């Protein structure tokens, strides 16, 4: 019988560590190889496996209780181009202090743990790193309360970015910092933003969340509006980067636009919970990586966040004080349709993939999706469709009786 714990009258299943750990525990080795090939794909004929993590990063991780994974996804050698090897890192973290602690204490508790994780990334020679969605705060938007949560918002040049700039300089690392932004120039409005900090500690620019969820406890439209910044792709010394923030991963045209603007790596910093999206988590980003021929780093926060006041989901069910479990499982998808091992569902972690960016073009040349895409046909379709008088193109079987 499954182990479970009884909480407030409901039986909650024990959280499993990861799908991979269950497969590895129960499937015999020879069959496991085939299962992994089919489920996770292969890079140049072999499954993407975990590589050794160096001593320095291991020591930092052990001392601070987080996981580090490292894997490699490489490309074929070309005659005219040198390999473009880049180490990409993604970080998932739980909050560091209770949600009723003073705001700045909560912020510092998270910053302190992130600092150690970036130190480990630095020790592993990570070139490009992305943190989770609004990494510097609990994901309090479920409450629909304004205060104290909006006090976590900071200008792009605020304390969180200054910390990231210091770390970027220290490790010669490009760091993407998804944060709750207060735009002081435009009426002190709040935005769900990702700031891109260059390897010299310079702010290259910012991107904002294009699609705001209106589902379950994700009531973020109370706090901020959809981005009007388009689909910027940031050209850095370590490749071209786009950021598709969380719920944007359910929108194929969003992924497409980051691809058409030339992304080689798209990060999907997220906050999502078990009951809502877990079966989709391993599918959507991989599909985007395959069809748009870029690498995707999918990042989800981890743990359960409890809030002081009860809130409802507007579905007739009892009010509650937490969202449910943020299941972590951050991983990389590759343009050649394989994926990396994922981080734990229950622990903070740093996932690193060493990739050859040449793979993006090599897969484009193999599959020719860009050549066969028929963009003009779909541009016309969408133009027609958004006309209020649009008639859907349905050919009805005349033998179907009315009613
Ligand atoms: N943060 C956010 O957009 N969450 C929405 C939930 C989901 O898309 O799985």
């Amino acid at each position: 019988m499954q182990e479970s714990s009884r909480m407030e009258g409901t039986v909650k299943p024990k959280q499993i560590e990861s799908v991979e750990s269950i497969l590895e525990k129960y499937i015999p080795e020879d069959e496991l190889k085939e299962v992994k090939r089919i489920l996770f794909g292969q890079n140049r004929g072999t499954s993407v496996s975990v590589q050794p993590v160096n001593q320095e990063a291991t020591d930092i991780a052990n001392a601070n209780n987080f996981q580090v994974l490292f894997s490699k996804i490489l490309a074929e050698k070309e005659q005219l181009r040198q390999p473009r090897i880049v180490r990409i890192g993604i970080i998932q973290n739980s909050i560091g202090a209770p949600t009723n602690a003073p705001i700045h204490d909560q912020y510092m508790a998270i910053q302190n743990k992130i600092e150690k994780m970036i130190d480990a990334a630095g020790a592993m020679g990570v070139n490009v790193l992305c943190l989770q969605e609004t990494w510097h705060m609990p994901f309090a938007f479920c409450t629909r309360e304004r205060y104290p949560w909006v006090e976590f918002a900071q200008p792009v040049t605020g304390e969180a970015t200054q910390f990231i700039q210091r770390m970027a300089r220290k490790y010669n690392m490009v760091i993407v910092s998804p944060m709750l932004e207060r735009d002081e120039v435009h009426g002190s409005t709040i935005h769900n933003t990702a700031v891109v900090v260059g390897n010299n500690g310079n702010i290259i620019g910012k991107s904002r969340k294009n699609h705001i969820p209106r589902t379950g406890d994700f009531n973020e439209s109370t706090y901020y509006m959809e981005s009007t910044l388009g689909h910027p792709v940031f050209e850095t010394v370590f490749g071209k980067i786009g950021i598709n923030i969380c719920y944007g991963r359910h929108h194929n045209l969003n992924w497409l636009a980051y691809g058409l603007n030339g992304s080689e790596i798209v990060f999907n910093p997220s906050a999502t919970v078990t009951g809502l999206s877990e079966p989709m988590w391993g599918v959507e980003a991989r599909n985007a990586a395959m069809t748009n021929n870029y690498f995707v780093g999918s990042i989800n926060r981890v743990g359960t966040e409890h809030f002081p006041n009860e809130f409802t989901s507007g579905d007739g069910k009892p009010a509650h004080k937490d969202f449910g479990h943020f299941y972590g499982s951050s991983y990389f998808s590759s343009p050649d349709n394989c994926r990396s091992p994922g981080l734990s569902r229950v622990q903070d972690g740093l996932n690193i993939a060493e990739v050859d960016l040449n793979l993006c073009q090599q897969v484009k040349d193999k599959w020719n999706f860009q050549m066969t895409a028929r963009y003009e046909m779909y541009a016309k379709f969408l133009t027609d469709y958004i006309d209020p008088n649009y008639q859907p193109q349905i050919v009805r079987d005349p033998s179907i009786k009315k009613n």
Side-chain angles (χ1 to χ4, degrees):
M1 199 174 126
Q2 189 173 36
E3 257 184 77
S4 60
S5 62
R6 220 164 248 289
M7 287 176 61
E8 293 167 14
T10 57
V11 179
K12 296 207 171 171
K14 184 180 174 225
Q15 294 296 342
I16 63 165
E17 168 67 28
S18 66
V19 171
E20 289 97 314
S21 65
I22 301 288
L23 294 176
E24 272 156 26
K25 188 165 164 191
Y26 293 108
I27 300 184
E29 209 174 312
D30 50 338
E31 285 163 316
L32 182 63
K33 231 172 136 185
E34 252 328 69
V35 168
K36 282 194 171 173
R37 179 184 69 77
I38 296 164
L39 284 183
F40 302 142
Q42 291 192 322
N43 173 241
R44 300 161 80 232
T46 46
S47 287
V48 181
S49 57
V50 174
Q51 305 284 317
V53 172
N54 68 27
Q55 198 55 50
E56 191 182 346
T58 305
D59 290 345
I60 300 171
N62 289 343
N64 295 284
N65 194 27
F66 62 87
Q67 178 190 21
V68 184
L69 288 181
F70 177 44
S71 53
K72 293 188 181 187
I73 302 176
L74 299 175
E76 298 302 330
K77 286 232 154 29
E78 296 179 18
Q79 293 189 28
L80 299 181
R81 292 194 305 175
Q82 291 300 312
R84 294 172 62 219
I85 306 292
V86 169
R87 284 196 182 186
I88 315 173
I90 50 181
I91 285 178
Q92 66 178 40
N93 61 278
S94 51
I95 53 177
T99 58
N100 57 3
I103 294 291
H104 198 255
D105 293 358
Q106 290 189 54
Y107 167 73
M108 282 312 298
I110 300 175
Q111 181 183 302
N112 288 340
K113 61 160 77 181
I114 292 294
E115 180 162 2
K116 300 288 179 234
M117 296 170 98
I118 300 180
D119 284 339
M124 284 294 290
V126 165
N127 305 117
V128 184
L129 180 75
C130 184
L131 308 181
Q132 70 194 21
E133 184 180 19
T134 61
W135 64 266
H136 56 107
M137 62 179 289
F139 211 75
F141 311 115
C142 54
T143 66
R144 300 194 290 282
E145 298 159 349
R146 309 299 293 179
Y147 282 86
W149 315 117
V150 292
E151 292 189 68
F152 279 102
Q154 300 183 13
V156 158
T157 50
E159 190 176 3
T161 306
Q162 288 167 25
F163 157 68
I164 294 298
Q165 289 180 287
R166 282 197 301 279
M167 300 309 281
R169 247 178 254 123
K170 182 170 176 187
Y171 292 115
N172 188 35
M173 201 186 277
V174 171
I175 306 183
V176 179
S177 173
M179 61 174 292
L180 193 68
E181 176 198 354
R182 188 175 288 282
D183 184 346
E184 290 174 334
V185 177
H186 295 99
S188 280
T189 46
I190 291 177
H191 302 269
N192 188 318
T193 298
V195 181
V196 181
V197 174
N199 58 311
N200 298 316
N202 52 316
I203 298 175
I204 302 178
K206 70 181 177 189
S207 189
R208 286 179 180 158
K209 187 168 181 168
N210 274 328
H211 299 272
I212 310 297
R214 290 157 171 85
T215 178
D217 285 337
F218 290 91
N219 293 300
E220 297 162 45
S221 54
T222 311
Y223 296 87
Y224 37 78
M225 301 298 286
E226 284 78 6
S227 172
T228 54
L229 302 182
H231 297 84
V233 170
F234 302 91
E235 187 168 354
T236 75
V237 279
F238 301 121
K240 294 186 188 146
I241 299 170
I243 305 112
N244 176 357
I245 302 179
C246 196
Y247 186 77
R249 75 182 179 285
H250 310 306
H251 296 271
N252 287 329
L253 294 177
N254 202 30
W255 289 111
L256 174 72
Y258 290 111
L260 295 183
N261 279 340
S263 295
E264 294 166 306
I265 306 166
V266 175
F267 290 109
N268 177 228
S270 297
T272 186
V273 290
T274 302
L276 183 69
S277 63
E278 202 162 5
M280 299 151 87
W281 183 249
V283 178
E284 292 169 305
R286 277 187 79 192
N287 182 53
M290 288 176 222
T291 54
N292 299 295
N293 311 134
Y294 46 55
F295 291 92
V296 179
S298 299
I299 312 154
N300 187 19
R301 62 176 58 208
V302 69
T304 306
E305 299 174 0
H306 299 270
F307 295 96
N309 301 319
E310 283 189 332
F311 51 91
T312 67
S313 310
D315 59 2
K317 293 193 180 142
H320 40 272
K321 289 188 173 181
D322 73 79
F323 248 122
H325 180 67
F326 291 101
Y327 54 82
S329 309
S330 304
Y331 72 104
F332 294 98
S333 306
S334 168
D336 68 353
N337 79 45
C338 70
R339 59 158 283 176
S340 77
L343 288 173
S344 162
R345 296 178 68 260
V346 291
Q347 194 189 6
D348 291 358
L350 163 67
N351 204 347
I352 302 166
E354 179 175 300
V355 308
D356 184 344
L357 295 178
N358 281 354
L359 191 58
C360 302
Q361 186 177 298
Q362 290 178 13
V363 178
K364 283 182 179 168
D365 288 339
K366 175 179 173 180
W367 280 97
N368 291 315
F369 292 148
Q370 286 70 21
M371 199 162 79
T372 57
R374 308 286 315 271
Y375 300 119
E376 72 297 335
M377 182 170 76
Y378 294 104
K380 180 178 179 321
F381 172 77
L382 289 172
T383 306
D384 292 347
Y385 177 72
I386 59 172
D387 182 331
N389 298 316
Y390 177 71
Q391 292 295 318
Q393 192 180 4
I394 295 172
V395 182
R396 190 162 184 274
D397 179 347
S399 70
I400 298 175
K401 291 204 180 83
K402 283 221 164 94
N403 302 322

